[in-house]
Amino acid sequence: MERRFAASALVFALLAAQSYFGGLAEASDPVLSPHEAGVLDRIFANWKARHDRVHSLHLTWDSRTTHLSGKTFPLKRIEKRPDFEFEQLGVQVFVEGDQRYCKVDTPIFNVPQVKPTDTRRIVERWIIDGDTTWLYRDGARYEKHSADPEFSRKPFGIVSRTIRVDQPVPDPTLQALCLTFRPQFPNLSWRRDQCRLVDEHATIDGVPAVKIQRVIVRKAGNGRELKHVESLWVSPVRDDVVVHWSVERVIAPILLMEGAIRYKKDPKVGWVPSEWTWEIPEIHNLEESRVTAYAINEKIDPSVFSPPFPPGTPVQDLRGRDKPDGLRHYVVEPDGSKRAISLEDFFRLSDPRPFLEKKPAAKPQEKPPAGK
């Protein structure tokens, strides 16, 4: 559970990758009646209009994650005593157009915490600018009393090509934002020709909604194809914003994940998320987020999308990993230059994955005496 937080930046590629299961839509397009086609046309037209209205976005939110002893439905009051809870304050996301994104993470605290300090210290920045992605981790993401040791307690950086296709990207928080403002973003993959109308008069959380659905096919590591059903519930009285979503496995049906979004209406740009939840029912994991500030269509300082590595940062550059000598490692010098280092030095300076530390070699087993 705790490791989901430590790896959350690695799935920020949602903003430049495909949908939750990042695969290809079912090859055969659904056959639609004229009425069904008209409903889908309206939904996708409203999505595009919202996309076109929102050129830039800056959202700040607080979140609490709870691992429950029993299942709790999204946006419902938690009744059972939690096994453990975490709180994160002042998380930020910046979006500019369709090519520039930045997520800023703050420390994660155990709950209850008597006197949490430095709650808005920036511990991680994930930046996407076109084809290049930067990750900077500044020490531990958990406060020191966390039950699970952090993967890294030293700053380090990663540079890579932006992931765009065939990648699983289970960051439901960012999925909620993309479903609101960029549902037609090409790599998010919610395309009109994939979808079918399931129920024009559905109800979700007591609110009238239209349910649409698509089937996603993704290849597993062993070459097998995995099929998942993705469903969206949209509100026709609120310009067809997504109010609920779910992902289910087709074979041996299991609800893998579901989420819900609530909105407030902005007089200039329309509906803006005010809170959202996502849940993994199988492990009884629930995260609740509440927006504390937002700015839409305001100028974003270009430095937000600049490479985030301060002097002294050990960096691993993965952009040339397909070439024999292409994987580079360096340290950022005070004048901004790069001093080459070895892979061993990178791990020594950053220690981003202590779970890879060498273990003592197993002692060879003695052979039993002859005849035994």
Side-chain angles (χ1 to χ4, degrees), residues 257-333:
M257 188 173 292
E258 63 180 339
I261 312 171
R262 284 181 173 169
Y263 297 86
K264 291 183 178 179
K265 192 168 187 179
D266 182 276
K268 294 182 179 179
V269 297
W271 298 99
V272 177
S274 59
E275 61 181 290
W276 58 81
T277 67
W278 65 269
E279 182 180 8
I280 304 176
E282 194 170 3
I283 63 172
H284 305 146
N285 182 75
L286 174 69
E287 180 170 310
E288 301 169 289
S289 298
R290 181 177 59 85
V291 173
T292 57
Y294 71 89
I296 295 178
N297 293 337
E298 295 185 7
K299 184 175 177 58
I300 297 175
D301 189 328
S303 65
V304 168
F305 305 105
S306 299
F309 310 136
T313 304
V315 178
Q316 185 176 44
D317 190 335
L318 303 174
R319 290 174 293 180
R321 65 185 309 169
D322 54 336
K323 301 177 182 178
D325 59 348
L327 191 62
R328 298 181 56 208
H329 305 85
Y330 59 86
V331 171
V332 178
E333 296 288 88

Side-chain angles (χ1 to χ4, degrees), residues 10-44:
L10 299 179
V11 295
F12 182 56
L14 170 66
L15 293 167
Q18 287 194 349
S19 67
Y20 174 80
F21 284 98
L24 300 176
E26 194 76 290
S28 57
D29 292 335
V31 178
L32 307 178
S33 68
H35 177 73
E36 183 177 1
V39 173
L40 291 174
D41 287 343
R42 185 203 75 217
I43 291 171
F44 276 82

Side-chain angles (χ1 to χ4, degrees), residues 8-18 93-104 125-136 158-164 169 174 178 185 187 302-308:
S8 65
L10 299 179
V11 295
F12 182 56
L14 170 66
L15 293 167
Q18 287 194 349
V93 159
F94 300 82
V95 179
E96 188 173 74
D98 288 336
Q99 296 294 320
R100 307 184 86 184
Y101 305 89
C102 174
K103 184 181 180 185
V104 179
R125 293 176 67 89
W126 184 277
I127 297 171
I128 295 173
D129 191 352
D131 292 329
T132 304
T133 297
W134 294 274
L135 167 68
Y136 175 66
I158 301 288
V159 186
S160 62
R161 291 192 180 98
T162 299
I163 300 172
R164 295 193 181 279
V169 280
L174 296 174
C178 282
F185 186 56
N187 291 342
S303 65
V304 168
F305 305 105
S306 299

Side-chain angles (χ1 to χ4, degrees), residues 64 66-80 203-207 211 231 233 243-248 255-262 275-289:
R64 178 169 293 206
T66 311
H67 187 79
L68 302 171
S69 58
K71 186 178 183 302
T72 300
F73 199 71
L75 292 176
K76 300 292 184 180
R77 185 170 177 269
I78 299 173
E79 300 291 347
K80 297 191 176 182
T203 301
I204 192 75
D205 292 337
V207 177
K211 182 180 179 181
S231 302
W233 287 258
V243 294
H244 201 95
W245 54 271
S246 71
V247 181
E248 300 175 80
L255 179 60
L256 299 175
M257 188 173 292
E258 63 180 339
I261 312 171
R262 284 181 173 169
E275 61 181 290
W276 58 81
T277 67
W278 65 269
E279 182 180 8
I280 304 176
E282 194 170 3
I283 63 172
H284 305 146
N285 182 75
L286 174 69
E287 180 170 310
E288 301 169 289
S289 298

Side-chain angles (χ1 to χ4, degrees), residues 4-258:
R4 191 205 69 82
F5 287 106
S8 65
L10 299 179
V11 295
F12 182 56
L14 170 66
L15 293 167
Q18 287 194 349
S19 67
Y20 174 80
F21 284 98
L24 300 176
E26 194 76 290
S28 57
D29 292 335
V31 178
L32 307 178
S33 68
H35 177 73
E36 183 177 1
V39 173
L40 291 174
D41 287 343
R42 185 203 75 217
I43 291 171
F44 276 82
N46 280 330
W47 287 359
K48 185 178 186 304
R50 184 175 305 107
H51 169 280
D52 293 344
R53 286 197 303 270
V54 178
H55 311 296
S56 67
L57 171 70
H58 177 202
L59 248 71
T60 305
W61 68 86
D62 300 337
S63 65
R64 178 169 293 206
T65 299
T66 311
H67 187 79
L68 302 171
S69 58
K71 186 178 183 302
T72 300
F73 199 71
L75 292 176
K76 300 292 184 180
R77 185 170 177 269
I78 299 173
E79 300 291 347
K80 297 191 176 182
R81 180 179 177 83
D83 295 327
F84 48 79
E85 288 183 290
F86 293 100
E87 186 175 57
Q88 194 175 15
L89 306 176
V91 182
Q92 299 180 72
V93 159
F94 300 82
V95 179
E96 188 173 74
D98 288 336
Q99 296 294 320
R100 307 184 86 184
Y101 305 89
C102 174
K103 184 181 180 185
V104 179
D105 269 310
T106 54
I108 298 167
F109 293 89
N110 291 87
V111 177
Q113 180 67 233
V114 179
K115 291 183 179 180
T117 60
D118 209 10
T119 59
R120 296 181 184 271
R121 175 176 62 89
I122 295 175
V123 298
E124 188 170 278
R125 293 176 67 89
W126 184 277
I127 297 171
I128 295 173
D129 191 352
D131 292 329
T132 304
T133 297
W134 294 274
L135 167 68
Y136 175 66
R137 172 76 62 79
D138 184 7
R141 299 186 69 235
Y142 290 90
E143 51 91 13
K144 63 181 180 180
H145 299 298
S146 175
D148 192 26
E150 177 57 85
F151 286 170
S152 172
R153 298 189 182 276
K154 299 179 182 179
F156 70 95
I158 301 288
V159 186
S160 62
R161 291 192 180 98
T162 299
I163 300 172
R164 295 193 181 279
V165 293
D166 199 23
Q167 294 289 330
V169 280
D171 188 329
T173 293
L174 296 174
Q175 180 151 334
L177 296 181
C178 282
L179 287 173
T180 300
F181 296 106
R182 294 294 186 266
Q184 287 186 288
F185 186 56
N187 291 342
L188 185 59
S189 230
W190 271 97
R191 302 195 310 267
R192 161 72 173 75
D193 59 0
Q194 296 175 339
C195 301
R196 68 184 185 92
L197 179 64
V198 177
D199 188 351
E200 190 178 356
H201 304 287
T203 301
I204 192 75
D205 292 337
V207 177
V210 175
K211 182 180 179 181
I212 64 175
Q213 200 173 79
R214 67 176 180 176
V215 176
I216 293 294
V217 180
R218 177 176 173 263
K219 288 188 177 180
N222 57 8
R224 294 177 57 191
E225 287 189 343
L226 302 177
K227 290 187 178 183
H228 298 87
V229 176
E230 295 187 353
S231 302
L232 298 180
W233 287 258
V234 305
S235 172
V237 298
R238 287 176 283 184
D239 299 329
D240 293 311
V241 292
V242 176
V243 294
H244 201 95
W245 54 271
S246 71
V247 181
E248 300 175 80
R249 192 168 68 192
V250 174
I251 301 175
I254 291 178
L255 179 60
L256 299 175
M257 188 173 292
E258 63 180 339

